[in-house]
Amino acid sequence: MRHRVAVLVAIGCLGNRPIAPLEAQGPAASPLFRVHDPLVLRLETDLRALLRDRDADRIEYAGVLRYGANADTGSTEVQLRTRGIFRLKRCGFPPLRLDLPRRRLDGTPFAGQDKLKLVTHCQSARSYEWNLLREYAVYRVFNAVTDSSFQVRLARVTYIDTTRTDTIIRYGFLIESETELAQRLGAEIVESNSVHDFLIDARYMTLVAVFQYLVGNTDWSVWGRHNFSILRQAGAPPRLLAVPYDFDFSGAVGAPYATPPEQLPIRSVRERYYRGYCQPDSVLMPVLARFRGAKDSVYAAVRAVPDLPEGDLRDLLRYFDDFFSAIDNPGIVRREFVRGCRSLPR
């Protein structure tokens, strides 16, 4: 069952709370996200009508999902609809939502799943599929740094239009649902729009801000509820987490349509800009140490992405090399994360 809670948090309640550990305790990831070998999926529907449906009152289209995971194969009915905001308007092939018949999936890779986001390739050119693989790599990089992150599963998807002979084969990836993320972290989903960055657990929010700097992403706002899920973990006081998603505007992905926000003093998403709040060394330094300790896992996550062109792989690793060199340089750390941070409100 989906658990939600409305939260209006006064700064005085959380501003001086003790720093909690980065990781939360909860159930393990579902079978779908426990392994990372790519799924083989086949979606059959009225594809042309589905992809053209972009109005505010979008409807669901009946389809069939056929799947393969190692020796496990099968099929199930599925309801499909387009989703997203920017990509829904910009992409010839927008992201999709899969609404699965939950009670019929026991014993399959989709056991326990209900509604899943499917990130798609945006446009027909192969370069967009490579952008997708790079975005998948970014999710896996954050998984390598913290379990308090959205799990993802890569899939090779064949889209079949049942009303004509059109067939499209591209990579996509599934994202763990917000409900499943909350259950796994032992948390509740926060609906309130009155949550600011400085109310989020200080060490976790700093971890997120440094991660966004690592991947060159400035397309996020906790206060604006833009590309974040806000969760609350029980405790005295309660602990708030802001878990990021959607990284297509990051420098690491380098989507051709990506531009930084106009109010920032950078001209390209490839330029890194730290948007975290200022924190004492007792918060910042352990976070930077965590990234140093995760370096090998970060690089391994990138190298494990199948069919990522060699040029894209080298580019990603070089881009991350610059980050790890920066956090090993005290002068750059002071410039970027100490003098370049946002001041906490008084």
Side-chain angles (χ1 to χ4, degrees):
M1 183 174 67
R2 188 176 178 89
H3 298 286
R4 289 186 176 269
V5 59
V7 178
L8 296 174
V9 187
I11 296 175
C13 295
L14 288 176
N16 297 317
R17 67 195 183 286
I19 297 171
L22 282 171
E23 302 302 352
Q25 297 299 317
S30 71
L32 180 61
F33 299 104
R34 222 171 275 163
V35 295
H36 298 289
D37 54 302
L39 291 164
V40 177
L41 302 180
R42 178 180 169 125
L43 279 171
E44 303 171 5
T45 190
D46 185 346
L47 191 62
R48 186 177 184 183
L50 169 66
L51 298 182
R52 287 182 171 181
D53 189 359
R54 302 171 188 235
D55 296 331
D57 55 348
R58 299 187 298 278
I59 64 173
E60 292 191 326
Y61 293 79
V64 174
L65 171 64
R66 305 186 190 278
Y67 59 85
N70 297 322
D72 189 359
T73 60
S75 65
T76 182
E77 296 176 352
V78 65
Q79 296 291 317
L80 302 161
R81 74 168 177 85
T82 54
R83 63 173 188 86
I85 300 175
F86 179 87
R87 282 188 257 201
L88 182 64
K89 298 176 181 178
R90 173 65 173 75
C91 294
F93 201 113
L96 301 176
R97 191 188 76 178
L98 281 58
D99 192 348
L100 299 163
R102 189 169 185 173
R103 295 181 181 178
R104 305 180 196 172
L105 297 173
D106 291 347
T108 78
F110 295 95
Q113 300 299 324
D114 183 11
K115 293 178 175 63
L116 284 170
K117 292 179 179 179
L118 175 63
V119 180
T120 58
H121 53 279
C122 185
Q123 303 290 359
S124 59
R126 285 292 174 180
S127 59
Y128 284 89
E129 185 177 35
W130 301 334
N131 289 147
L132 180 142
L133 291 173
R134 290 171 73 122
E135 186 175 9
Y136 168 77
V138 169
Y139 276 93
R140 295 289 295 124
V141 164
F142 197 41
N143 294 159
V145 176
T146 174
D147 288 336
S148 298
S149 54
F150 279 100
Q151 299 291 317
V152 288
R153 183 77 179 271
L154 192 64
R156 190 66 171 163
V157 189
T158 299
Y159 304 93
I160 296 179
D161 194 323
T162 55
T163 64
R164 48 187 54 80
T165 58
D166 294 350
T167 299
I168 300 170
I169 303 174
R170 290 289 189 276
Y171 274 112
F173 64 88
L174 298 164
I175 305 177
E176 180 181 36
S177 72
E178 187 182 44
T179 300
E180 187 174 348
L181 171 71
Q183 292 173 344
R184 180 166 59 82
L185 300 183
E188 296 174 298
I189 299 168
V190 174
E191 289 186 317
S192 170
N193 290 323
S194 301
V195 179
H196 210 300
D197 306 46
F198 52 78
L199 298 178
I200 304 300
D201 177 84
R203 189 171 294 175
Y204 181 77
M205 192 66 238
T206 303
L207 180 90
V208 169
V210 173
F211 165 73
Q212 302 279 30
Y213 180 88
L214 161 66
V215 300
N217 189 36
T218 56
D219 182 38
W220 57 272
S221 169
V222 175
W223 177 254
R225 296 300 295 261
H226 180 55
N227 294 339
F228 275 103
S229 286
I230 312 297
L231 307 178
R232 187 185 75 165
Q233 293 176 315
R239 179 180 183 227
L240 292 180
L241 303 177
V243 185
Y245 59 85
D246 274 10
F247 305 112
D248 59 317
F249 271 68
S250 69
V253 173
Y257 52 75
T259 55
E262 292 181 358
Q263 66 270 27
L264 298 184
I266 55 176
R267 297 184 178 181
S268 164
V269 293
R270 294 285 288 187
E271 297 180 62
R272 290 186 169 94
Y273 186 83
Y274 187 61
R275 298 189 59 215
Y277 275 99
C278 300
Q279 297 292 348
D281 284 353
S282 60
V283 174
L284 176 62
M285 295 308 166
V287 167
L288 296 182
R290 188 182 184 99
F291 278 90
R292 292 188 195 101
K295 180 178 178 179
D296 289 347
S297 297
V298 165
Y299 282 43
V302 176
R303 292 189 178 103
V305 178
D307 294 330
L308 186 64
E310 185 63 29
D312 286 74
L313 174 61
R314 288 197 303 268
D315 180 72
L316 268 178
L317 295 180
R318 282 196 299 264
Y319 192 64
F320 292 162
D321 279 342
D322 292 341
F323 167 83
F324 285 106
S325 295
I327 65 173
D328 279 336
N329 185 315
I332 296 177
V333 167
R334 181 167 181 79
R335 183 189 73 205
E336 297 294 297
F337 303 109
V338 179
R339 293 201 303 265
C341 60
R342 290 191 287 169
S343 298
L344 285 164
R346 297 180 180 273

